[in-house]
mmCIF file of all heavy atoms in Angstrom:
data_model
loop_
_atom_site.group_PDB
_atom_site.id
_atom_site.type_symbol
_atom_site.label_atom_id
_atom_site.label_comp_id
_atom_site.label_asym_id
_atom_site.label_seq_id
_atom_site.Cartn_x
_atom_site.Cartn_y
_atom_site.Cartn_z
ATOM 1 N N ARG A 22 -0.665 -3.405 77.248
ATOM 2 C CA ARG A 22 0.005 -2.541 76.326
ATOM 3 C C ARG A 22 -0.989 -1.783 75.444
ATOM 4 O O ARG A 22 -0.835 -0.601 75.175
ATOM 5 C CB ARG A 22 0.971 -3.367 75.442
ATOM 6 C CG ARG A 22 1.699 -2.510 74.484
ATOM 7 C CD ARG A 22 2.712 -3.347 73.687
ATOM 8 N NE ARG A 22 3.333 -2.513 72.699
ATOM 9 C CZ ARG A 22 4.536 -2.638 72.291
ATOM 10 N NH1 ARG A 22 5.287 -3.645 72.772
ATOM 11 N NH2 ARG A 22 5.044 -1.888 71.399
ATOM 12 N N VAL A 28 -4.790 5.197 75.949
ATOM 13 C CA VAL A 28 -4.663 6.341 76.814
ATOM 14 C C VAL A 28 -3.770 7.420 76.139
ATOM 15 O O VAL A 28 -4.111 8.606 76.152
ATOM 16 C CB VAL A 28 -4.126 5.974 78.179
ATOM 17 C CG1 VAL A 28 -3.745 7.200 79.029
ATOM 18 C CG2 VAL A 28 -5.123 5.083 78.910
ATOM 19 N N VAL A 34 -5.318 13.358 71.223
ATOM 20 C CA VAL A 34 -6.493 13.918 70.618
ATOM 21 C C VAL A 34 -7.065 15.043 71.423
ATOM 22 O O VAL A 34 -7.422 16.082 70.908
ATOM 23 C CB VAL A 34 -7.532 12.761 70.349
ATOM 24 C CG1 VAL A 34 -8.859 13.373 69.927
ATOM 25 C CG2 VAL A 34 -7.045 11.808 69.283
ATOM 26 N N PRO A 43 -10.938 28.432 73.358
ATOM 27 C CA PRO A 43 -11.912 27.680 74.181
ATOM 28 C C PRO A 43 -12.810 26.811 73.286
ATOM 29 O O PRO A 43 -13.293 25.837 73.772
ATOM 30 C CB PRO A 43 -12.715 28.787 74.876
ATOM 31 C CG PRO A 43 -11.855 30.011 74.774
ATOM 32 C CD PRO A 43 -10.986 29.875 73.581
ATOM 33 N N GLY A 47 -8.601 26.084 67.499
ATOM 34 C CA GLY A 47 -7.229 26.432 67.274
ATOM 35 C C GLY A 47 -7.031 27.768 66.598
ATOM 36 O O GLY A 47 -5.995 28.121 66.121
ATOM 37 N N ALA A 63 -1.481 42.691 53.315
ATOM 38 C CA ALA A 63 -2.200 43.924 53.468
ATOM 39 C C ALA A 63 -2.207 44.326 54.917
ATOM 40 O O ALA A 63 -2.283 43.505 55.812
ATOM 41 C CB ALA A 63 -3.640 43.776 52.977
ATOM 42 N N LEU A 106 15.726 43.107 24.815
ATOM 43 C CA LEU A 106 16.541 44.274 25.133
ATOM 44 C C LEU A 106 17.849 44.237 24.426
ATOM 45 O O LEU A 106 18.525 43.175 24.385
ATOM 46 C CB LEU A 106 16.826 44.368 26.685
ATOM 47 C CG LEU A 106 17.703 45.511 27.108
ATOM 48 C CD1 LEU A 106 16.935 46.834 27.006
ATOM 49 C CD2 LEU A 106 18.242 45.290 28.482
ATOM 50 N N TRP A 108 21.483 46.636 23.990
ATOM 51 C CA TRP A 108 22.231 47.773 24.509
ATOM 52 C C TRP A 108 23.552 47.873 23.829
ATOM 53 O O TRP A 108 23.969 47.011 23.076
ATOM 54 C CB TRP A 108 22.474 47.599 26.024
ATOM 55 C CG TRP A 108 23.414 46.525 26.410
ATOM 56 C CD1 TRP A 108 24.783 46.604 26.563
ATOM 57 C CD2 TRP A 108 23.076 45.164 26.745
ATOM 58 N NE1 TRP A 108 25.301 45.369 26.948
ATOM 59 C CE2 TRP A 108 24.264 44.510 27.056
ATOM 60 C CE3 TRP A 108 21.879 44.457 26.778
ATOM 61 C CZ2 TRP A 108 24.316 43.136 27.410
ATOM 62 C CZ3 TRP A 108 21.885 43.125 27.108
ATOM 63 C CH2 TRP A 108 23.101 42.477 27.444
ATOM 64 N N THR A 140 22.472 42.516 12.208
ATOM 65 C CA THR A 140 21.589 41.401 12.502
ATOM 66 C C THR A 140 22.298 40.459 13.474
ATOM 67 O O THR A 140 23.451 40.052 13.209
ATOM 68 C CB THR A 140 21.220 40.632 11.193
ATOM 69 O OG1 THR A 140 20.585 41.533 10.296
ATOM 70 C CG2 THR A 140 20.289 39.440 11.484
ATOM 71 N N ARG A 155 14.435 23.139 35.995
ATOM 72 C CA ARG A 155 13.459 23.955 35.260
ATOM 73 C C ARG A 155 13.774 25.490 35.393
ATOM 74 O O ARG A 155 12.955 26.296 35.069
ATOM 75 C CB ARG A 155 12.066 23.658 35.766
ATOM 76 C CG ARG A 155 11.638 22.248 35.415
ATOM 77 C CD ARG A 155 10.241 22.034 35.850
ATOM 78 N NE ARG A 155 9.336 22.981 35.288
ATOM 79 C CZ ARG A 155 8.441 22.741 34.351
ATOM 80 N NH1 ARG A 155 8.326 21.482 33.951
ATOM 81 N NH2 ARG A 155 7.654 23.620 33.873
ATOM 82 N N GLU A 180 16.657 31.097 17.293
ATOM 83 C CA GLU A 180 16.152 29.760 17.064
ATOM 84 C C GLU A 180 16.359 28.898 18.329
ATOM 85 O O GLU A 180 17.239 29.237 19.162
ATOM 86 C CB GLU A 180 16.783 29.101 15.820
ATOM 87 C CG GLU A 180 18.275 28.877 15.960
ATOM 88 C CD GLU A 180 18.917 28.288 14.686
ATOM 89 O OE1 GLU A 180 18.132 27.788 13.835
ATOM 90 O OE2 GLU A 180 20.125 28.309 14.628
#
Side-chain angles (χ1 to χ4, degrees):
R22 182 177 176 148
V28 170
V34 169
L106 178 74
W108 68 89
T140 303
R155 296 183 57 111
E180 65 183 345

